[in-house]
Amino acid sequence: MEIKYLEWNLHAMGGRGYEIPKFVVNYLKTADVFVLTEFCQTKGWEDFQYALESEYDIYCSSYCSKGYNQVCIGIRKTINYKLFSVVSNDISNIEIPEFLQVDIEIERKKLSIIGIRIKTSGNTKEKQYEYLKEHLKGMIRVCSISKMTSPARSWN
């Protein structure tokens, strides 16, 4: 099965004076799976959700407060998947990236869809990469759709 996916960094800046642009929905509807990074359930959220909820199951990381971003993953209902779990983390912890993982099964194969954004405030990028490296260890089928703000080193 071929799955079309789309990632978009909405640059919501933690919801400070931000509104989800109405045109975003039209682009998202071209994909079977979408991942939004630097997303925030802010002004325009209800319209956004209403425009997509008939075609997509929508999963969002926890909303903490203004100043923190979220990750949002949408999966088209017609791809006939089975949901296993939704995993998020404490987005206010600066040593852990903004993170949302949705584990599904498609055609009897498990797939982990992971949306990630490395935080840029503070001096914690290395710790965030180490967290991801440890978390992803042992996973077999992963679709990681991310905004990675790369440190000045490589990692295996």
Side-chain angles (χ1 to χ4, degrees):
M1 165 184 250
E2 182 177 309
I3 298 174
K4 295 179 184 177
Y5 62 89
L6 180 133
E7 184 272 339
W8 197 334
N9 177 338
L10 290 182
H11 196 59
M13 301 177 292
R16 293 184 206 105
Y18 183 81
E19 180 174 351
I20 301 170
K22 293 187 185 329
F23 66 85
V24 170
V25 169
N26 293 332
Y27 286 98
L28 298 180
K29 286 186 174 185
T30 66
D32 298 311
V33 173
F34 63 81
V35 175
L36 302 176
T37 58
E38 280 194 62
F39 168 81
C40 195
Q41 290 177 350
T42 185
K43 188 174 179 186
W45 165 246
E46 290 82 15
D47 292 338
F48 173 86
Q49 190 175 21
Y50 179 77
L52 292 170
E53 67 187 0
S54 66
E55 295 178 51
Y56 292 87
D57 292 318
I58 300 172
Y59 307 94
C60 297
S61 57
S62 303
Y63 177 75
C64 183
S65 67
K66 281 195 178 188
Y68 293 98
N69 292 303
Q70 297 167 263
V71 176
C72 179
I73 295 176
I75 303 174
R76 189 179 297 278
K77 293 176 179 182
T78 58
I79 67 169
N80 298 319
Y81 70 96
K82 178 181 176 184
L83 177 67
F84 282 113
S85 64
V86 178
V87 179
S88 189
N89 62 24
D90 179 3
I91 60 171
S92 64
N93 182 346
I94 196 164
E95 295 183 357
I96 298 175
E98 293 162 8
F99 178 93
L100 180 64
Q101 175 178 330
V102 179
D103 296 321
I104 63 173
E105 181 182 271
I106 299 176
E107 297 180 344
R108 293 175 280 161
K109 295 178 183 173
K110 185 177 177 186
L111 174 65
S112 296
I113 302 167
I114 304 174
I116 303 164
R117 180 185 170 267
I118 299 296
K119 296 173 187 162
T120 58
S121 58
N123 198 13
T124 64
K125 288 181 190 175
E126 291 290 331
K127 288 182 180 179
Q128 293 176 71
Y129 278 102
E130 288 303 317
Y131 171 87
L132 289 175
K133 186 176 177 182
E134 188 63 32
H135 183 82
L136 297 174
K137 193 182 296 182
M139 289 186 162
I140 296 171
R141 292 177 44 120
V142 175
C143 177
S144 175
I145 306 174
S146 317
K147 178 175 192 273
M148 306 294 263
T149 309
S150 180
R153 73 169 188 87
S154 62
W155 56 289
N156 299 333

